[in-house]
Amino acid sequence: MYHLFEKINNGEVYVIAEMSANHGGSIDTALEIVRKAKEAGADCLKIQTYTADTLTIDCDNEYFQIHGGLWDGYKLHDLYKDANTPWEWHRAIKDECDRVGIDFLSTPFDNTAVDFLEKLGEEAYKIASFELPDIPLIEYAASKGKPMIISCGMGSVQDIQDAVDACHRVGNDQIVLLKCCSEYPANWEDMHLANIPDMKERFNVPIGLSDHSEGSIAAVVGVSMGAVVIEKHVKIDGVKSADSEFSMTMEDFADMVSKIRTAKKIAGGPEYELSEKEKSSTIFRRSLFAVKDIAEGEVFTDKNIRSIRPGYGIAPKHLKDLVGKKAPKAIKRGEPITTDILKDSVN
């Protein structure tokens, strides 16, 4: 059922709704997010597969305290304990995704999570920006032969190349990289979305955007820069969680999806052929017309022929080819100068 490369190969944008901790500790809220993400137009609902103990240790010393930012005052183990999606919920969430017709995706944070997701029937893997340097994890997930979506927040060119190489080493070429600014929320000036076309050229894989900024403008700009995947944290208004402060309401998410679908159409091309509507408008372009009655044998000048609208005559670039030559026949004021007139004019 996984539609990632189907969408990309069809020239469409694949949209991921990231639930993260926004279930707020309620399985009913988690399932509602699945349904609302589908209604909003998402292609995929993503969760995260970890426990506090697979991410860190329960330790009170200074190294494990968070100072500043969105999670100021938290101990790492406590944050991850509050924010995780219980593994016993995964089956119900995936089943709900299957029921409503939306792809299911999760981010594993260690090998036990990969093994768990394999048994669940996971069809792709997402690697979080903070795990980008974890090459053994990337190799293990990639070895399962599923598409790999890798966020690149905080990643140097070498970090990203190492991750891509890890996938290739285990024979997995199904890679999508996501430009990401790992700030919560991300500041506009730190997003550097011009990296999107640069990453496509450097790494020769599809590039998307994991967007932690406010609103939808970054996603729209990202698509216009060539992003083929957009990932955005979503929430149900009124549900508080560790991630709700930088997440988008479902109503705003639906609006964003509409905008990026439109942006993709607008950013299409290159294409220089005229559309059918453009073809019908060419008649209003300028062309050469007689602006005075011209007798047969009379010399063409810039006084008796001019470039004016509409476009029934020959192109204005031919004016210099006519001036100084003689009319091959009489031409009434308001008649177009045609190709035959140009061809038959004499010196």
Side-chain angles (χ1 to χ4, degrees), residues 89-141:
W89 292 6
H90 282 46
R91 171 57 66 187
I93 293 171
K94 185 179 186 301
D95 286 349
E96 189 69 1
C97 287
D98 292 342
R99 188 186 71 80
V100 302
I102 189 172
D103 288 343
F104 170 85
L105 177 67
S106 189
T107 300
F109 288 83
D110 76 328
N111 289 6
T112 67
V114 175
D115 293 340
F116 174 79
L117 290 168
E118 279 292 295
K119 292 177 182 177
L120 195 67
E122 177 85 340
E123 297 179 79
Y125 287 104
K126 165 71 192 301
I127 300 298
S129 289
F130 289 87
E131 274 56 51
L132 182 66
D134 192 344
I135 298 305
L137 172 63
I138 293 173
E139 280 190 350
Y140 189 69

Side-chain angles (χ1 to χ4, degrees), residues 48-90:
Q48 299 180 5
T49 304
Y50 66 86
T51 67
D53 293 319
T54 64
L55 275 182
T56 189
I57 58 173
D58 189 0
C59 182
D60 294 333
N61 73 29
E62 187 66 17
Y63 298 113
F64 296 88
Q65 307 294 325
I66 301 175
H67 300 290
L70 194 61
W71 302 295
D72 182 51
Y74 256 112
K75 185 173 71 173
L76 281 179
H77 193 273
D78 291 342
L79 173 64
Y80 301 141
K81 188 175 180 180
D82 288 349
N84 84 309
T85 300
W87 292 23
E88 58 267 25
W89 292 6
H90 282 46

